[in-house]
Amino acid sequence: MAGVMQKFILASMIMWVAPMAILYGFNHHIIPGSGQLSSSSQTLLSGFLAVISVNLVIVFYIIMAMKEPANRESQPDPAFLAEAKASINQSATTTSNPDAQSRDKVE
């Protein structure tokens, strides 16, 4: 379970950082060739690449999730099972003995 949460947190952080880094790189001309573009082209290209980066992170997250072993079945808590079985057995004995219920009623 901890591995799943770590993957989720990592993917969430990358989904936030990647588009911001792309937008920052285009706005501050860190990415080569971005200074030669017009302002509107720069905005459109940086926005398009930011959206693509988020979609790539989502695809990689889905691939990682698909590679998780599917045969890991969680087992219920043994204490809970014991209590549930005792409760079922207790209710079964009270419903099978109708005289016990009629003795409790006083009219």
Side-chain angles (χ1 to χ4, degrees):
M1 182 71 153
V4 173
M5 283 303 293
Q6 288 176 346
K7 289 177 186 177
F8 175 73
I9 290 171
L10 178 66
S12 297
M13 289 171 52
I14 293 172
M15 270 198 290
W16 187 82
V17 171
M20 295 302 240
I22 290 171
L23 293 173
Y24 182 84
F26 268 93
N27 288 337
H28 295 293
H29 306 293
I30 296 171
I31 297 176
S34 64
Q36 299 170 356
L37 298 172
S38 68
S39 176
S40 61
S41 296
Q42 188 177 8
T43 303
L44 286 172
L45 186 60
S46 66
F48 180 71
L49 289 176
V51 169
I52 294 293
S53 70
V54 170
N55 286 323
L56 286 175
V57 172
I58 292 171
V59 166
F60 285 125
Y61 183 73
I62 290 172
I63 290 170
M64 285 190 314
M66 297 289 276
K67 288 184 178 181
E68 287 283 323
N71 59 359
R72 272 200 259 166
E73 294 182 23
S74 61
Q75 298 295 325
D77 184 25
F80 173 77
L81 284 177
E83 288 179 25
K85 286 179 183 177
S87 173
I88 290 172
N89 290 339
Q90 182 183 13
S91 66
T93 57
T94 34
T95 55
S96 65
N97 189 358
D99 293 334
Q101 287 179 351
S102 63
R103 278 187 259 142
D104 292 340
K105 294 181 181 178
V106 177
E107 292 185 28

